[in-house]
Every structure is written in C-alpha cells, then in structure tokens.
Amino acid sequence: MNRYETIFVMKPEVDEETIQSLIEKIKDIIEKKGSVENVDEWGKRKLAYEVKGYNEGYYVLLNFTAESSIPAELERFYKITEGIIRHIIVKEEE
C-alpha cells in the first residue's frame, strides 16, 4: 500500500450536489483497494493561468492510501469526467 495525494479542479459553475457526487465517486474508486484518509474542499479559487477558458475553479484535495493500480484508475476517471478541468496525483514519500 502506498500513500498518495490528489488535487482536482472542477469548473466554477458546478453546483454543490454535483461536487459531492464527484467526491463520492472518487472515494468509491479509492476504497476498492485502499482507504481515504482526508478530504479537504478548498472551494472556489482563482487559477494561476487560464485553463480550458476558465480563470477560476473549485479545488478539492484528497489524501489516501491504496494499491499501485488505483492512481491509473483515478487518472482514467478524471479524463472522462465532464466537470473536471485539471488534476494531479502524487505519490507521497515514506
């Protein structure tokens, strides 16, 4: 089991219900072969530069422990999900 951190940015116009739904789907993916340690919603923030025509986005940080196959699954989910405009997954050092 490895420790990871992921941050994803959603479109600023996404409603609260959709945000919670996306977070739950991501937690479900992780909990197949791991566990979520922390979910930190940063809320709407200005982006450092324009991404896909947006100047701000809704940020969410998740810390989790999982098998090495989970980051690839998350990556696939992020790419096919409409509301997510940017993401990153980082393996934390021991």
Side-chain angles (χ1 to χ4, degrees):
M1 297 285 251
N2 298 311
R3 292 175 48 89
Y4 297 95
E5 173 177 279
T6 183
I7 298 175
F8 57 96
V9 182
M10 292 179 271
K11 296 177 180 178
E13 71 268 6
V14 174
D15 61 59
E16 186 64 32
E17 187 177 312
T18 305
I19 292 168
Q20 295 309 315
S21 171
L22 278 173
I23 291 171
E24 284 305 313
K25 286 179 186 175
I26 291 167
K27 285 170 64 175
D28 288 345
I29 291 170
I30 293 168
E31 289 170 348
K32 287 179 189 173
K33 295 182 181 173
S35 64
V36 176
E37 296 167 5
N38 182 39
V39 177
D40 191 9
E41 293 183 46
W42 294 354
K44 275 188 191 174
R45 294 184 177 217
K46 188 167 173 31
L47 298 171
Y49 53 90
E50 188 174 296
V51 177
K52 296 184 181 178
Y54 295 98
N55 291 317
E56 67 177 12
Y58 191 93
Y59 284 71
V60 178
L61 166 73
L62 276 102
N63 298 91
F64 63 98
T65 304
E67 290 183 6
S68 58
S69 62
I70 295 298
E73 229 174 296
L74 277 177
E75 185 83 24
R76 184 190 66 76
F77 178 78
Y78 288 150
K79 287 180 179 178
I80 63 171
T81 303
E82 177 68 28
I84 296 176
I85 57 174
R86 190 61 110 212
H87 66 276
I88 187 168
I89 304 168
V90 178
K91 181 179 176 184
E92 294 180 356
E93 295 300 318
E94 297 303 316

